[in-house]
Amino acid sequence: MKFFSALVVAALALTTSAAPTPVEESNLVARANRYHDRQQPKWLIQIHESHPDKAYGVSTNGRVHRVNGSKNINTLAQFVFDGKLKDHTCQFHFVDPSSVSGSQGIQVFTVGDDEDRITSADTWNDRPFRDQHVATISAKPGGSSTVETFGWGKTWDCPTEGTLEFELVPTGDNDDVRWVQPGGFAILSIPKW
């Protein structure tokens, strides 16, 4: 009986010391599920310089494109927050583009204000004004991309409610980055605990 009790105590000690800490568990979950805690845009809307009055409507496909400094295609992105991200920090995230060429870059600008919001009828000639340059993304095929931020910092407090809206613009004179949700541009939310 003493041998059995000692064996149980030893087994419990090994199990307890090998149990992951809460930090280790959260890292395992993040690695196991690449889209975990990714807030997807409610709307992606492409706007084309070559068809400035055509509304392309809402899509799950995003694209930034420029050829020899013209023929721009930008994407408007709207995120809606419903109160579930209280006590979370947010950061821009970009993963798994479907194709990249040229400079492979995306500039991220805030757009509009409370009276000038993104709509499904937006066009190149009729869209919310472009405001602050907040990030530049270097898109990488087959994985996570590099995000350089300006002004907002690498992370910020997630909004508890409301919307965040952005215009995604190509970098360089020749650039093409395409993505399909759930990949591409998103906001990663991270619990503060």
Side-chain angles (χ1 to χ4, degrees), residues 1 20 25 54 73 99 109 123 136 139 146 163 167:
M1 186 70 166
E25 285 181 25
K54 181 175 181 179
I73 299 172
S99 71
F109 290 85
T123 68
T136 298
T146 305
T163 61
E167 183 171 351

Side-chain angles (χ1 to χ4, degrees), residues 88-126:
H88 282 68
T89 56
C90 283
Q91 68 184 48
F92 294 117
H93 193 241
F94 193 90
V95 67
D96 294 336
S98 53
S99 71
V100 294
S101 64
S103 64
Q104 303 178 10
I106 301 169
Q107 295 177 336
V108 181
F109 290 85
T110 58
V111 296
D113 56 24
D114 289 339
E115 271 105 62
D116 193 14
R117 293 294 197 196
I118 292 173
T119 73
S120 60
D122 284 339
T123 68
W124 186 267
N125 285 338
D126 185 17

Side-chain angles (χ1 to χ4, degrees), residues 10 50 57 77-79 86 88 114 120 135 150 153 162 174 176 181 184 190:
S50 58
Q78 180 189 70
F79 294 85
K86 184 179 182 204
H88 282 68
D114 289 339
S120 60
F150 309 95
N174 292 289
D176 192 48
Q181 290 181 319
I190 306 149

Side-chain angles (χ1 to χ4, degrees), residues 27-166:
N27 288 338
L28 290 173
V29 170
R31 284 194 302 261
N33 186 351
R34 162 180 278 190
Y35 300 116
H36 183 71
D37 292 323
R38 280 176 47 92
Q39 309 306 310
Q40 299 294 328
K42 176 183 176 187
W43 287 356
L44 288 177
I45 300 167
Q46 292 185 28
I47 53 175
H48 295 236
E49 182 180 32
S50 58
H51 302 284
D53 296 315
K54 181 175 181 179
Y56 287 85
V58 177
S59 175
T60 58
N61 300 323
R63 184 178 186 192
V64 297
H65 174 83
R66 182 181 293 141
V67 176
N68 297 325
S70 63
K71 300 179 185 168
N72 288 287
I73 299 172
N74 298 351
T75 294
L76 302 173
Q78 180 189 70
F79 294 85
V80 176
F81 296 89
D82 58 6
K84 293 179 183 173
L85 297 180
K86 184 179 182 204
D87 298 323
H88 282 68
T89 56
C90 283
Q91 68 184 48
F92 294 117
H93 193 241
F94 193 90
V95 67
D96 294 336
S98 53
S99 71
V100 294
S101 64
S103 64
Q104 303 178 10
I106 301 169
Q107 295 177 336
V108 181
F109 290 85
T110 58
V111 296
D113 56 24
D114 289 339
E115 271 105 62
D116 193 14
R117 293 294 197 196
I118 292 173
T119 73
S120 60
D122 284 339
T123 68
W124 186 267
N125 285 338
D126 185 17
R127 65 181 190 235
F129 65 90
R130 189 184 305 165
D131 197 9
Q132 297 176 323
H133 180 206
V134 293
T136 298
I137 298 167
S138 297
K140 293 186 177 125
S144 290
S145 300
T146 305
V147 179
E148 181 181 359
T149 57
F150 309 95
W152 284 16
K154 183 174 172 73
T155 63
W156 66 92
D157 287 338
C158 292
T160 52
E161 292 184 350
T163 61
L164 287 178
E165 297 182 334
F166 303 98

